[in-house]
């Protein structure tokens, strides 16, 4: 099979790749060909590239040429493997020395386009979602976080699994509080001071909240508010 993780060898290739990716998440591993740690994490990235077709995965090797070394210097990469996440041509996140599970969490958090999770971008979006489900008996679980939030990333794979499993009885949504001023105003209105905060909404009203990233605790709170 053709390796789905293509190498970037020049600055022109890098810029063209970002341009062609558009709004898709781009994950670039900055590595070295003789690095044991780079070789260890690479198979996980290949597997993710096959299971996450909406995400672009690329590899840059520092020891390939002087041009790739300059790309490392430009991005401030000193140790490998180093992962940088880009969206719409901008750097949105980076990680160094991460595990396979952490890489998966990052990819899901920054690149999720799952229809199981409703993405909210304003107070108006929240209000519309609440109105839509005010009378259908479903529990609305609103995951409120920030773009750069370790605990938010950690729990997000669980949120996706729960959203798919509970689709008949609950609606899952998320909002990044630091996406814009309107989202930040929503956090202040709802007195959200720590993230992730999960708001449980039923019948048009907030019935409770859970603050934290514990998987078991989150599941317990959801079941409690579902009346299970």
């Amino acid at each position: 099979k053709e390796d789905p993780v293509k190498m970037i060898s020049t600055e022109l290739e890098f810029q063209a790749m970002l341009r062609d990716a558009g709004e898709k998440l781009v994950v670039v591993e900055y590595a070295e060909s003789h690095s044991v740690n780079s070789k260890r994490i690479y198979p996980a990235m290949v597997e993710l590239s096959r299971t996450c077709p909406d995400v672009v995965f690329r590899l840059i090797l520092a020891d390939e040429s002087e041009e790739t070394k300059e790309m490392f210097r430009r991005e401030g990469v000193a140790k490998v493997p180093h992962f940088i996440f880009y969206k719409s041509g901008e750097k949105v996140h980076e990680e160094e020395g991460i595990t396979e599970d952490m890489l998966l969490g990052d990819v899901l958090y920054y690149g999720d386009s799952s229809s199981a999770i409703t993405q909210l971008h304003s107070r108006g979006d929240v209000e519309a979602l609440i109105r839509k489900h005010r009378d259908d008996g479903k529990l609305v679980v609103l995951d409120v976080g920030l773009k750069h939030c370790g605990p938010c990333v950690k729990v997000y794979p669980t949120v996706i699994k729960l959203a798919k499993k509970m689709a008949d009885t609950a609606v899952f949504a998320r909002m990044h509080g630091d996406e814009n001023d309107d989202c930040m105003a929503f956090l202040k209105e709802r007195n959200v001071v720590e993230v992730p905060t999960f708001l449980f909404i039923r019948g048009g009203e907030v019935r409770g909240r859970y603050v934290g990233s514990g998987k078991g605790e989150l599941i317990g709170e959801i079941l409690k508010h579902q009346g299970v």
Side-chain angles (χ1 to χ4, degrees):
K1 289 183 180 180
E2 181 184 357
D3 194 335
V5 180
K6 294 181 172 58
M7 286 184 57
I8 297 290
S9 299
T10 68
E11 180 65 26
L12 284 176
E13 289 178 357
F14 179 80
Q15 295 300 332
M17 178 270 300
L18 288 183
R19 183 178 63 251
D20 293 344
E23 295 185 358
K24 288 184 177 180
L25 178 69
V26 175
V27 180
V28 178
E29 179 187 358
Y30 291 79
E32 292 178 351
S33 59
H34 300 296
S35 165
V36 173
N37 289 331
S38 294
K39 291 178 180 178
R40 175 186 55 79
I41 196 75
Y42 183 73
M45 188 166 76
V46 171
E47 182 61 26
L48 281 173
S49 70
R50 292 183 173 131
T51 57
C52 302
D54 291 334
V55 179
V56 177
F57 293 85
R58 293 294 183 264
L59 175 70
I60 300 177
L61 294 176
D63 49 350
E64 181 183 356
S65 68
E66 286 301 319
E67 187 165 4
T68 55
K69 286 180 183 177
E70 178 56 34
M71 294 165 74
F72 270 59
R73 286 192 288 268
R74 182 199 65 208
E75 296 291 354
V77 177
K79 293 176 63 178
V80 297
H82 190 108
F83 289 86
I84 299 183
F85 298 71
Y86 304 87
K87 248 187 178 180
S88 301
E90 301 292 332
K91 184 189 299 186
V92 296
H93 183 64
E94 60 185 312
E95 290 272 13
E96 183 178 280
I98 61 176
T99 65
E100 290 88 343
D101 287 344
M102 292 169 65
L103 177 60
L104 170 62
D106 285 343
V107 169
L108 290 177
Y109 190 72
Y110 292 101
D112 177 47
S113 58
S114 169
S115 59
I117 309 286
T118 301
Q119 310 294 326
L120 306 179
H121 307 285
S122 68
R123 285 178 291 182
D125 287 349
V126 176
E127 292 164 1
L129 184 70
I130 292 174
R131 284 196 304 271
K132 180 179 179 181
H133 297 286
R134 178 178 287 125
D135 301 317
D136 64 7
K138 287 189 175 183
L139 176 69
V140 176
V141 181
L142 175 52
D143 175 5
V144 182
L146 299 174
K147 291 179 181 178
H148 303 289
C149 163
C152 302
V153 174
K154 175 185 173 184
V155 76
Y156 195 64
T158 298
V159 176
I160 294 176
K161 290 178 182 178
L162 291 173
K164 292 177 179 178
K165 188 174 182 179
M166 298 178 164
D168 292 336
T169 58
V171 175
F172 286 74
R174 75 163 170 172
M175 170 186 280
H176 287 144
D178 53 351
E179 180 174 342
N180 55 52
D181 291 342
D182 198 40
C183 291
M184 189 57 69
F186 174 80
L187 266 65
K188 292 178 180 178
E189 286 177 2
R190 296 295 179 175
N191 195 31
V192 174
V193 295
E194 294 182 60
V195 291
T197 289
F198 294 86
L199 300 177
F200 304 109
I201 304 163
R202 187 192 287 278
E205 301 292 335
V206 176
R207 306 294 183 177
R209 67 177 60 199
Y210 167 66
V211 181
S213 58
K215 298 176 183 178
E217 292 89 341
L218 175 60
I219 293 171
E221 287 293 320
I222 291 173
L223 293 177
K224 181 178 76 174
H225 288 284
Q226 280 191 315
V228 177

